[in-house]
Amino acid sequence: MSRPISLNALRQVDALASDDVDVFLVILDHPDLVDGPLRISSDLAVRLSAEPLTYGTLSRFGNDDLPAGPEKVTPKRFYYTGMLVIPPDDEEDTEPTSRLVLDVLDSDIVGVLTSTTVPAKARIAVVKASTPDLVELETSGLQLKNTSGDWGQIVLQFSMEDLYDEPFPAVRMTKERFPGLHR
């Protein structure tokens, strides 16, 4: 089953050239992040603050759990950082992991992500720069599996939560558990 994309995104796929770019929005959440989830963007379209000078994207992505309608939700700040998103590989007998290569924003955040036993959770969305509230593609339920790098760049490896941690066989098909199978 294919996922529908917006008409604007479809037009840009078919266009010879386009001035609208794809933007990656990433939400990293961890219990040790005291200021709440870290929101980062691959686009520096909007000046978020003058002191210190920061750029990023304003988007309502990630505000799904709020009771108000989408028009009443204030956009969140996604801070710009250089990033490279590498989609999951398709190797046999290995857990599919995607990688996110980030330029380091803050050494404290790197410390939280690399020195804890509790894995961070992530959501990654692709939006168009002209419509940052309209999510074209989203991957949620990602869990941090491994980190590497130095204080200049960090590589975060994500996988689906407990995708391969299920025991086999998970449940036995006995008469007591599944009486409808044994008539």
Side-chain angles (χ1 to χ4, degrees), residues 90-109:
D90 197 17
E91 295 180 21
E92 194 171 316
D93 295 333
T94 61
E95 184 175 29
T97 59
S98 60
R99 292 184 299 280
L100 182 64
V101 182
L102 295 174
D103 291 341
V104 174
L105 289 171
D106 185 1
S107 60
D108 293 337
I109 294 171

Side-chain angles (χ1 to χ4, degrees), residues 25-164:
L25 300 177
V26 179
I27 300 174
L28 293 170
D29 195 11
H30 191 276
D32 292 342
L33 292 173
V34 293
D35 294 332
L38 174 64
R39 298 172 190 271
I40 54 178
S41 169
S42 65
D43 190 31
L44 47 87
V46 177
R47 178 186 277 187
L48 299 176
S49 68
E51 192 61 43
L53 183 60
T54 56
Y55 289 90
T57 304
L58 293 173
S59 176
R60 291 181 177 91
F61 166 65
N63 292 331
D64 308 322
D65 51 350
L66 297 175
E71 64 281 347
K72 296 181 182 178
V73 176
T74 57
K76 296 287 187 181
R77 295 175 177 213
F78 287 80
Y79 293 95
Y80 168 74
T81 186
M83 73 171 70
L84 173 66
V85 179
I86 303 170
D89 47 10
D90 197 17
E91 295 180 21
E92 194 171 316
D93 295 333
T94 61
E95 184 175 29
T97 59
S98 60
R99 292 184 299 280
L100 182 64
V101 182
L102 295 174
D103 291 341
V104 174
L105 289 171
D106 185 1
S107 60
D108 293 337
I109 294 171
V110 174
V112 167
L113 295 176
T114 59
S115 65
T116 182
T117 58
V118 177
K121 298 192 182 306
R123 293 172 66 183
I124 300 173
V126 178
V127 299
K128 294 291 183 187
S130 62
T131 55
D133 294 332
L134 178 62
V135 175
E136 300 295 343
L137 180 67
E138 180 183 359
T139 303
S140 60
L142 295 173
Q143 189 173 37
L144 183 64
K145 296 292 184 177
N146 192 10
T147 59
S148 62
D150 56 16
W151 297 107
Q153 271 189 341
I154 186 169
V155 179
L156 306 173
Q157 291 183 342
F158 292 99
S159 182
M160 298 300 283
E161 290 184 52
D162 301 327
L163 183 63
Y164 286 91

